């Protein structure tokens, strides 16, 4: 027997032993991963560290029998390791890369709408639904879990995220991730970290001291990871304090693994890798390698190992993390084969409930809503309300069941041009007609404000749809409505005093016409069944219960950065693109957030600013009373109070609890969402997370809750207080 054959036989024997160990489900995920690593060849190990975006591959080179999604990491069949098949995103199974098949999926409402529900149950139910669809389509990795804190209302991806407060955002993203992963697939919390704006996202650096970073952006991730236990983390495009997120040892090794004990793996965002040495700094996997332009974790990684720049032990560590995750998640033992029949009607009902829960009634003077039975002539104006609802653009966009009824390519160049402004799902006009067959309901497209005003003048009620589209890769220049929407609303309101405005937006918007309209509804990007949800709220079939997860500023002057960071950045030249990657649109620049840890409502409270609408605001068709407040201190802060429905119809409320202490902005410490029948009373209890009320000491690497007096405020928003109390807390020191 030749030495080569002896070696092959030995490899096969080792492989057989390792395979037997790895399929033994009584062993821990760590033990199974270690056994598999031992049996792998160097080439097989490298295979798990990188992968392409299948849609960018020539058809002949695409892996056979694999769903075309965001990416693929090839497995090791001889050891029972399946491919990792990846799909976007938080709002459903994104099919942007497989349109030639006409594939569709159930589109949830935007992340902002989910956050407006303030309801972890809704978040988990939606996550379980989209995770199930992903699995049924053959995907075992879903790029779910966007939890970047909203710091600027012009940011293009805010619609994907979960608002401006770390406790609210972290709680909801954790619930969503838990729902997704209940399907034995991997979810990825993202974009780690401080990925707050799209302008220059691949070149800018967010410069912030550790303490405020820990108390805001990082806290949202920390809470989300504790509640959802995501199997993977996706690092972002941007730099943090001068170092790229995907090769930032402070973020990936110190915070994520040392302090938080994360055992999963870190994947890059598509186009966010800049070196093979990133593996030494915490990155485990290069995603969508064509976007980077260089195969840093493939051919170049092999070169780095042979030259001694990357030790083999670093490769083994990353491979072991990936394999451990695959075993722990159930990806190996419960393979997603695809081809299942999907019950889109059932899943659509989940999307409908989510949309209804997230719609916010901002204004309702004179009880214009719900629409009265006496409103017999209704004109619906603008927003393509006759054909569907608006969706956000970019990688999170889901092609809804039934497809898009209208797709408009954007003009003017720039990063937004790659996305389409799209309308689909159920149409508000048809839904209103179905609920109100007794009324004469007509539609005017709103392109001519004078014609719209004329139609409104003769109607009992006018319903105007205002829009502001948002997309990944581009920030909005201001807060004005698109397509002269502000002028349209002003013209209609002047013609009809019973004008209702429905906003389909991904962000807060300005409202120069606010005081001239009696009713305003924030519907966000409401998803697959959005038209029905809007109609059901307008007609009173559903009592609105959404509350704002972001502050609506009165003007850009109120923002910490009135001028959008990077809006005056110098365009990238060839040298910049070569140095920073294919996605570099501008030369590098620094972003600072003057508010630090006090993002959103905390900034407004600290500066004494009165916003257009405060964080937490939301109205109902019934009324509520808060009483019997009891707060206790000592080593733990506990708050209890009662909520009573004092109105004539059932409804859900969102009572919020805030804490204040000298020298600090107020902070949300908890909330409830009781559904109450008329006259019903329920108790709400909140126990404060010490990190939310405390401070992070960067030198000591500890959370500290100072001893002293703490003010308690209970109310329906960050600026309205119904109950007050004060307690004294003992000093507490916590580990990170």
């Amino acid at each position: 027997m030749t030495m080569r054959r002896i070696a092959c036989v030995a490899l096969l024997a080792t492989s057989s032993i390792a395979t037997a160990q790895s399929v033994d489900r009584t062993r821990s995920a760590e033990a199974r991963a270690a056994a598999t690593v031992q049996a792998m060849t160097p080439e097989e190990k490298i295979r798990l560290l990188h992968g392409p975006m299948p849609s960018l591959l020539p058809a002949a080179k695409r892996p056979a029998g694999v769903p075309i999604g965001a990416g693929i990491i090839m497995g090791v069949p001889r050891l029972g390791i399946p491919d990792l098949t990846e799909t976007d995103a938080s709002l459903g199974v994104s099919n942007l890369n497989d349109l030639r098949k006409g594939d569709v999926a159930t589109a949830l409402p935007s992340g902002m709408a989910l956050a407006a529900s303030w309801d972890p149950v809704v978040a988990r139910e939606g996550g379980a639904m989209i995770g199930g669809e992903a699995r049924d389509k053959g995907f075992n990795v879903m790029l779910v879990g966007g939890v970047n804190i909203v710091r600027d209302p012009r940011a293009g991806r805010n619609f994907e995220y979960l608002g401006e407060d770390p406790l609210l955002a972290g709680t909801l993203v954790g619930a969503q991730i838990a729902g997704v992963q209940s399907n034995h697939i991997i979810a990825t919390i993202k974009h780690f970290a401080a990925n707050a704006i799209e302008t220059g996202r691949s070149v800018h650096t967010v410069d912030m001291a550790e303490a405020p970073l820990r108390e805001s952006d990082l806290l949202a991730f920390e809470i989300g990871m504790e509640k959802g236990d995501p199997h993977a983390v996706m690092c972002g495009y941007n730099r943090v304090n001068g170092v790229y997120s995907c090769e930032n040892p402070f973020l990936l090794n110190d915070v994520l693994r040392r302090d938080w004990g994360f055992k999963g793996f870190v994947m890059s965002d598509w186009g966010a890798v800049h070196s093979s040495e990133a593996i030494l700094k915490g990155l485990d996997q290069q995603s969508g390698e064509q976007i980077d332009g260089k195969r840093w974790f493939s051919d170049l990684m092999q070169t780095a190992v042979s030259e001694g720049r990357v030790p083999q032990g670093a490769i083994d560590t990353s491979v072991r993390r990936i394999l451990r995750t695959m075993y722990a998640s159930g990806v190996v033992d419960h393979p997603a084969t695809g081809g299942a029949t999907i019950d889109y009607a059932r899943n659509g009902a989940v999307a409908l409930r989510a949309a209804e829960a997230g719609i916010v009634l901002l204004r309702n003077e004179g009880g214009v809503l719900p629409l009265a039975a006496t409103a017999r002539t209704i004109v619906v104006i603008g927003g393509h309300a006759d054909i569907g609802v608006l969706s956000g653009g970019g990688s999170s966009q889901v092609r809804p069941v039934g497809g898009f009824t209208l797709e408009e390519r954007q003009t003017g160049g720039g990063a937004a041009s790659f996305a389409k402004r799209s309308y689909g799902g159920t149409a508000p006009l048809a839904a209103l007609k179905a609920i109100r067959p007794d009324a004469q309901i007509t539609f005017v497209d709103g392109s001519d404000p004078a014609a719209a005003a004329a139609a409104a003048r003769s109607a009992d009620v006018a319903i105007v749809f205002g829009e502001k589209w948002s997309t990944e890769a581009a920030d909005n220049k201001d807060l004005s409505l698109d397509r002269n929407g502000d002028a349209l609303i002003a013209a209609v309101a002047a013609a009809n005093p019973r004008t209702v405005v429905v906003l389909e937006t991904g962000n807060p918007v300005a409202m120069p016409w606010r005081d001239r309209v009696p009713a305003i509804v924030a519907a966000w990007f409401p998803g697959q069944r959005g038209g029905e949800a809007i109609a059901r709220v307008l007609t009173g079939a559903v009592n609105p219960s959404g509350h704002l997860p972001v502050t609506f500023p009165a003007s850009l002057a109120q923002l910490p950065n009135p001028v959008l960071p990077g809006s005056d950045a110098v365009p990238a030249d060839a040298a910049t693109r070569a140095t920073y990657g294919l996605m570099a649109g501008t030369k590098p620049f620094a972003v600072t957030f003057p508010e630090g840890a006090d993002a959103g409502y905390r900034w407004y409270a600290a500066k004494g600013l009165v916003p257009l609408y405060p964080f937490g605001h939301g109205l109902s068709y019934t009324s509520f009373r808060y009483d019997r407040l009891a707060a206790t201190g000592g080593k733990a802060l506990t708050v209890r109070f009662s909520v009573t429905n004092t109105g004539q119809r059932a409804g859900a409320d969102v009572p919020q609890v805030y804490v204040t202490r000298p020298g600090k902005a107020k902070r949300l410490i908890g909330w409830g969402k009781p559904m109450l029948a008329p006259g019903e009373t329920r108790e709400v209890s909140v126990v404060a997370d010490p990190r939310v009320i405390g401070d992070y000491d960067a030198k000591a690497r500890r959370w500290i809750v100072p001893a002293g007096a703490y003010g308690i405020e209970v109310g329906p928003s960050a600026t309205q207080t119904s109950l007050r109390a004060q307690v004294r807390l003992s000093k507490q020191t916590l580990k990170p």
Side-chain angles (χ1 to χ4, degrees):
M1 183 180 292
T2 65
M3 292 299 295
R4 179 181 179 86
R5 187 176 178 190
I6 291 172
C8 290
V9 171
L11 175 62
L12 289 172
T14 302
S15 173
S16 297
I17 295 172
T19 301
Q21 292 176 330
S22 65
V23 298
D24 183 357
R25 300 185 185 184
T26 64
R27 293 165 61 87
S28 69
E30 289 80 2
R32 296 173 73 181
T36 306
V37 171
Q38 187 177 10
M40 294 174 73
T41 67
E43 292 76 14
E44 289 169 339
K45 293 175 181 177
I46 292 291
R47 191 185 304 171
L48 282 182
L49 302 184
H50 71 101
M53 195 169 183
S55 62
L56 298 183
L57 294 173
K61 294 186 177 181
R62 291 174 185 158
V66 173
I68 306 300
I72 182 170
I73 307 294
M74 301 305 295
V76 186
R78 73 178 184 89
L79 297 177
I81 305 304
D83 302 334
L84 290 177
T85 50
E86 303 164 328
T87 179
D88 281 306
S90 301
L91 314 183
V93 182
S94 175
N95 301 287
L96 294 177
N97 302 318
D98 204 14
L99 297 185
R100 65 189 184 281
K101 292 184 178 180
D103 199 8
V104 297
T106 304
L108 283 174
S110 66
M112 194 70 80
L114 172 60
S117 77
W118 291 62
D119 193 336
V121 175
V122 168
R124 196 184 196 287
E125 183 181 39
M129 183 274 286
I130 63 174
E133 280 200 8
R135 180 181 175 82
D136 289 343
K137 290 174 179 289
F139 295 104
N140 56 21
V141 179
M142 197 169 201
L143 310 180
V144 162
V147 72
N148 296 103
I149 291 294
V150 172
R151 288 184 174 273
D152 194 299
R154 295 161 293 192
R157 293 189 89 167
N158 283 348
F159 76 91
E160 297 182 40
Y161 301 146
L162 297 168
E164 66 192 27
D165 181 78
L167 179 62
L168 177 64
T171 299
L172 293 181
V173 82
Q176 182 188 47
I177 288 168
V180 169
Q181 292 189 160
S182 68
N183 296 281
H184 296 300
I185 65 176
I186 295 168
T188 65
I189 197 168
K190 62 184 185 181
H191 304 87
F192 196 64
N195 188 191
I197 62 172
E198 292 296 280
T199 302
R201 66 182 185 178
S202 64
V203 297
H204 76 244
T205 175
V206 175
D207 295 340
M208 188 181 299
E210 181 178 354
L213 192 60
R214 292 265 195 176
E215 293 170 9
S216 54
D217 298 69
L218 293 183
L219 184 56
F221 276 91
E222 187 175 8
I223 292 171
M225 294 180 72
E226 290 170 353
K227 293 184 177 294
D229 190 23
H231 296 306
V233 170
M234 181 191 293
C235 49
Y237 291 115
N238 58 295
R239 292 176 289 156
V240 176
N241 293 320
V243 182
Y244 279 110
S245 297
C246 287
E247 54 184 43
N248 193 313
F250 166 72
L251 290 176
L252 304 183
N253 290 333
D254 296 349
V255 174
L256 191 60
R257 295 193 170 99
R258 181 195 68 193
D259 295 344
W260 297 351
F262 178 61
K263 294 182 179 180
F265 70 94
V266 177
M267 65 165 66
S268 74
D269 204 341
W270 274 233
V273 184
H274 299 273
S275 71
S276 299
E277 286 79 3
I279 199 170
L280 303 176
K281 300 168 185 178
L283 181 64
D284 298 307
Q285 199 173 76
Q286 180 183 15
S287 311
E289 59 195 1
Q290 310 103 308
I291 308 297
D292 289 305
K294 292 185 179 181
R295 291 160 58 92
W296 294 112
F297 275 42
S298 177
D299 306 335
L300 295 177
M301 182 65 77
Q302 292 174 318
T303 300
V305 172
S306 66
E307 293 178 352
R309 291 183 285 114
V310 174
Q312 182 61 44
I315 305 294
D316 291 350
T317 295
S318 288
V319 170
R320 186 170 60 251
R321 289 170 180 159
I322 295 166
L323 289 169
R324 180 232 166 248
T325 300
M326 295 177 73
Y327 288 123
S329 64
V331 161
V332 176
D333 299 332
H334 305 276
T337 57
T341 300
I342 298 173
D343 188 342
Y344 285 120
R346 180 194 63 194
N347 292 352
V350 174
L352 175 61
R353 287 192 292 273
E356 292 171 349
I359 290 176
V360 182
L361 179 60
L362 295 174
R363 181 177 172 88
N364 194 24
E365 298 299 309
V368 169
L369 293 178
L371 295 173
T374 54
R376 293 303 180 91
T377 57
I378 302 170
V379 59
V380 176
I381 300 168
H384 292 294
D386 59 329
I387 61 172
V389 292
L390 185 62
S391 78
S395 60
S396 70
Q397 187 177 56
V398 179
R399 177 166 286 269
V401 175
F404 288 123
T405 49
L406 177 65
E407 294 181 272
E408 299 175 327
R409 177 68 69 183
Q410 300 305 288
T411 60
S417 296
F418 86 97
K420 293 180 180 179
R421 184 187 185 108
S422 306
Y423 298 81
T426 54
L429 179 66
L432 281 168
K433 288 182 174 180
I435 296 175
R436 288 293 308 274
D438 59 312
Q440 179 185 347
I441 303 176
T442 56
F443 177 75
V444 177
D445 67 15
S447 58
D448 181 348
R457 193 170 290 113
S458 59
D460 293 331
V461 176
I463 303 172
V464 189
F465 282 76
E467 304 172 282
K468 191 165 187 66
W469 182 66
S470 296
T471 182
E472 177 184 356
D475 296 319
N476 294 312
K477 65 179 182 179
D478 56 34
L479 302 181
S480 300
L481 293 178
D482 294 341
R483 299 176 172 178
N484 210 25
D486 292 320
L488 172 65
I489 293 171
V492 172
N496 189 326
R498 297 181 66 80
T499 293
V500 176
V501 174
V502 178
L503 297 171
E504 292 183 17
T505 75
N507 269 324
V509 293
M511 302 181 196
W513 34 262
R514 181 183 67 163
D515 294 339
R516 286 173 275 169
V517 299
I520 305 171
V521 173
W524 315 106
F525 300 147
Q528 181 78 54
R529 302 280 291 275
E532 292 164 84
I534 292 168
R536 284 166 59 81
V537 167
L538 293 179
T539 59
V542 168
N543 191 347
S545 62
H547 284 243
L548 292 181
V550 291
T551 303
F552 278 48
S555 69
L556 292 177
Q558 290 188 330
L559 301 181
N561 286 312
V563 177
L564 181 72
S567 57
D568 57 352
V570 177
D573 51 24
T576 299
R577 288 193 295 272
T579 301
Y580 292 92
L582 298 178
M583 299 179 69
T586 63
K587 287 188 175 180
F589 60 92
V591 177
T592 57
F593 294 110
E595 71 273 26
D598 294 333
Y601 67 92
R602 300 179 182 184
W603 165 264
Y604 288 81
K607 297 297 181 181
L609 299 172
V610 179
L612 183 68
Y613 284 111
F615 173 85
H617 173 73
L619 303 178
S620 171
Y621 295 149
T622 188
S623 55
F624 302 95
R625 182 184 71 244
Y626 307 154
D627 56 17
R628 289 183 276 183
L629 174 63
T632 59
K635 290 199 174 286
L637 173 57
T638 301
V639 180
R640 296 184 180 87
F641 59 95
S642 294
V643 182
T644 301
N645 183 344
T646 57
Q648 300 301 309
R649 59 176 297 168
D653 189 32
V654 182
Q656 302 145 47
V657 184
Y658 296 86
V659 68
T660 61
R661 52 181 251 245
K664 292 286 183 178
K666 68 166 57 180
R667 298 181 182 182
L668 178 74
I669 64 168
W671 67 92
K673 192 169 185 180
M675 170 60 77
L676 302 171
E680 184 179 6
T681 298
R682 289 190 187 177
E683 184 179 79
V684 173
S685 179
V686 169
V687 178
D689 184 325
R691 294 167 300 188
V692 175
I693 60 177
D695 306 317
Y696 187 81
D697 186 326
K699 290 184 178 180
R701 288 182 42 225
R702 294 288 187 271
W703 288 93
I704 297 174
V705 179
Y710 288 72
I712 308 301
E713 298 180 1
V714 177
S717 77
T719 62
Q720 296 172 277
T721 302
S722 302
L723 304 172
R724 295 180 187 273
Q726 189 175 82
V727 298
R728 294 197 66 84
L729 295 180
S730 306
K731 181 177 179 178
Q732 295 183 64
T733 301
L734 299 87
K735 293 182 179 180

